[in-house]
Amino acid sequence: MKAFLPIAIVVAALAAVPLLVHSNVVLNFLVVALMIALAGQGWNILGGYGGQYSFGHAAFFGTGAYVTAILQVHYGVNAWIGFVAGIAAGAAVGGVIGTLAFRASLRSSYFALVTLAFAEVLRILASVTPVTGAGVGLLVKLDVRAQSFQFQSRAIFYLVILALVAVSLVIAQLLERSRFGVWLIAVRENEDAAMALGVDAFAVKLGAMVLSAAVTAAAGCFYVQYFLFVDSGIAYGGWISIEALLTPIIGGVGTVFGALVGALVVKSLGEGAKLVAGDVPGLGLMIYGAVLILVIRFAPRGLVGALVDARGHLARRFMAPRSRVREVVGG
């Protein structure tokens, strides 16, 4: 339980934010940042811990978003049931893509390009299929009730997405402490060596893919319930694949808090730049690119890794004089 204490502290601190901040603008920013952190944590499970870099996590985000929207709009299914169904559908898509890619032994850039291709194919299909609203999209009926997963207060949405992020943090922590997580990291470091030791690399990578897809799909489901609208450009657009990939890399790939830290930092810088420079087209991508370059240059292990290294450096720096004092006194 001690390993989960940092998660409890961080989540408790974030949960206290609505008690101190009542601005809808700030809460909206935090909701979106946490939603991106959730999608980023989904990518981190596969790319960070598993070493399978995907460029197409929009396939899972969009599937989750569309399934929950379609069930509500066309079939009158309860939003909470639709939310669960969206997560399951995203996981299923992850299973299909993973099976095809890993059976073909695709790795590295080949795997990344295949995931990107699947996301683009789904985007094109969604833009012409009537059930998805084709090019118009789907608008979920406004029904501000808890039973409909719609709330009057943004603070409640904030607590819901925070709970989802907390679950994703626990999943990441469990990965670091479980046998499955050890197998996954072994496959990441050297797949051939892991297989020689008896690890079923296909099953491990497929499991990570399904779990990753489910977490990312949850972010898509939440998007629909928060904004009550989805179209092909939003659901399967490259924006979510880019942000899901960049936030854990900037925050610290293969770490529990990397995606959360990366999302908060990048989104804060983006919003700060907008306040100064206005709504300049492409400004967000420029910010992401600049931060990514700086992180790769000065903190290759991400911001979380840099903090861990700095703490270790300070600990050694303060412990060294004490050790010398003990040697002198003992001598």
Side-chain angles (χ1 to χ4, degrees):
M1 295 300 293
K2 188 176 181 180
F4 297 94
L5 183 59
I7 296 176
I9 293 173
V10 170
V11 172
L14 291 174
V17 170
L19 301 177
L20 305 174
V21 177
H22 303 287
S23 169
N24 282 335
V25 174
V26 175
L27 289 175
N28 182 68
F29 161 77
L30 290 173
V31 166
V32 174
L34 289 177
M35 182 183 68
I36 297 301
L38 182 62
Q41 191 71 295
W43 185 94
N44 191 40
I45 291 169
L46 181 66
Y49 291 102
Q52 310 299 315
Y53 278 37
S54 162
F55 288 173
H57 259 54
F60 315 132
F61 180 92
T63 298
Y66 263 123
V67 167
T68 188
I70 289 170
L71 289 176
Q72 292 178 75
V73 173
H74 293 304
Y75 302 102
V77 176
N78 177 269
W80 293 95
I81 297 175
F83 195 97
V84 175
I87 294 174
V93 170
V96 171
I97 296 175
T99 299
L100 295 174
F102 298 140
R103 282 295 184 195
S105 299
L106 297 180
R107 304 182 187 180
S108 187
S109 57
Y110 297 103
F111 175 76
L113 291 174
V114 163
T115 57
L116 177 62
F118 270 104
E120 186 61 15
V121 167
L122 289 172
R123 185 191 67 79
I124 294 172
L125 290 175
S127 67
V128 297
T129 305
V131 73
T132 61
V136 179
L138 292 176
L139 183 65
V140 178
K141 180 182 177 182
L142 181 65
D143 184 12
V144 185
R145 295 183 302 159
Q147 299 93 315
S148 302
F149 207 132
Q150 297 180 30
F151 310 102
Q152 189 71 39
S153 171
R154 280 187 171 85
I156 300 178
F157 277 111
Y158 171 79
L159 293 176
V160 170
I161 189 62
L162 178 59
L164 292 172
V165 170
V167 171
S168 75
L169 293 175
V170 170
I171 290 173
Q173 185 64 262
L174 288 173
L175 276 179
E176 293 190 353
R177 300 173 63 83
S178 67
R179 181 175 298 180
F180 176 79
V182 172
W183 292 340
L184 186 60
I185 293 172
V187 170
R188 178 191 70 190
E189 296 301 321
N190 192 321
E191 184 172 335
D192 294 329
M195 291 174 65
L197 292 173
V199 176
D200 187 343
F202 172 78
V204 169
K205 291 191 294 184
L206 183 60
M209 185 81 161
V210 171
L211 182 59
S212 172
V215 173
T216 305
C221 296
F222 180 85
Y223 181 97
V224 167
Q225 296 307 134
Y226 189 64
F227 291 102
L228 300 179
F229 175 77
V230 65
D231 63 16
S232 60
I234 292 172
Y236 295 116
W239 70 278
I240 187 62
S241 290
I242 292 173
E243 296 198 14
L245 182 151
L246 286 181
T247 50
I249 291 178
I250 290 171
V253 68
T255 62
V256 174
F257 292 101
L260 177 59
V261 171
L264 292 174
V265 168
V266 171
K267 283 297 180 183
S268 296
L269 291 174
E271 291 301 317
K274 285 182 182 180
L275 290 176
V276 174
D279 195 10
V280 179
L283 181 62
L285 291 176
M286 292 171 60
I287 295 294
Y288 296 161
V291 173
L292 182 61
I293 291 171
L294 291 173
V295 167
I296 291 175
R297 174 62 181 84
F298 298 104
R301 294 178 58 206
L303 298 177
V304 172
L307 290 174
V308 172
D309 292 342
R311 186 178 65 179
H313 175 73
L314 290 174
R316 289 191 298 270
R317 186 174 181 181
F318 283 106
M319 289 300 293
R322 295 180 182 178
S323 299
R324 286 196 292 270
V325 169
R326 291 194 190 100
E327 291 176 2
V328 172
V329 173

